[in-house]
Amino acid sequence: MAVIDVRGDAERVFNALKDGGIAIFPNDVGYALMGGSEDAVKRINSAKGRGGHKRNAFLCGLDTQRELHVLDARSREMIEAITSDYDLPLGAVAPFDPGHPMLRNVPPGLLATSTAHGTLAMLLNAGPLFREICRLSRDNLHPIFGSSANLTGTGPKFRVDDIQPAIREIADITVDYGIRKYHTYKRSATIVRFPELEVVRIGSCYELVADVLRRHFKVELPDDPGTDANPSGHLQEFALPDLSAG
């Protein structure tokens, strides 16, 4: 008998998000803080103290990513190799189709804080509960945006007990699956911009992602300087325009 109810938990999370709420739930690279409406995402960013140079991530499965991201065949093959063949989590940033049904009714303000230079960031292949919530989001054409469940600058949280009270208090639902799979990395997901193959953040499973790209595609990613030199792994922290300026 299963000790966790992934399907039931996903339905409870999605129902809260569909009603415009905020949810904390686990994925393989930490706990996520996601909103189901523009107001919810604004409350998330306010509680986190998030800078205007940061963008929200879009939650979706690989099926939606294939449709939404506008990429060449080689870039698509790379993402598939990392997430499907090698079953690794990945944050993928790439040009996107704003006319896709999942984004067609997203308020302009929310889309602006979730995109930059015509690109959209997506977390992919981050665990069973994550996949089930993605499925419900797609089936109901209800987009979900958010980021890590933490105060900005404090790093990802791999246990619910480590999430600051100010963050836990804004959630309408919290799902606790204990310590997360890739906690030993002490970083959130690795993020790569396609098709440029620019590393935005060195994160969980980075050496594995780099190995896949090196062996199968002859691509060399930069070396990881280590968490002592770069705790967050960000290589382009302030590269995007600050939407809060002015």
Side-chain angles (χ1 to χ4, degrees), residues 22-24 31-35 44 48 145-150 167 170-171:
I22 294 172
I24 293 173
Y31 278 85
L33 181 67
M34 308 301 287
I44 286 172
K48 285 170 62 77
F145 295 88
S147 56
S148 298
N150 61 356
I167 300 301
I170 67 169

Side-chain angles (χ1 to χ4, degrees), residues 4 6-7 13 35 53 63 70 102 105 127 136 146-147 156 179 183 185 187-188 201 204 225-226 233 236 244-245:
I4 56 174
V6 170
R7 196 175 189 89
V13 167
H53 64 285
D63 46 2
V70 180
M102 285 295 293
N105 297 317
L136 292 169
S147 56
I179 195 165
H183 68 98
Y185 284 96
R187 290 170 173 162
S188 193
R201 180 172 67 202
S204 295
Q236 302 181 37
S244 65

Side-chain angles (χ1 to χ4, degrees), residues 188-228:
S188 193
T190 290
I191 303 176
V192 179
R193 181 180 291 109
F194 294 88
E196 298 87 351
L197 292 174
E198 293 178 352
V199 177
V200 177
R201 180 172 67 202
I202 295 172
S204 295
C205 305
Y206 180 74
E207 82 285 9
L208 303 177
V209 170
D211 183 65
V212 171
L213 294 179
R214 180 185 306 112
R215 290 190 299 110
H216 295 285
F217 300 96
K218 310 302 181 187
V219 170
E220 292 289 338
L221 298 186
D223 291 337
D224 181 357
T227 53
D228 288 341

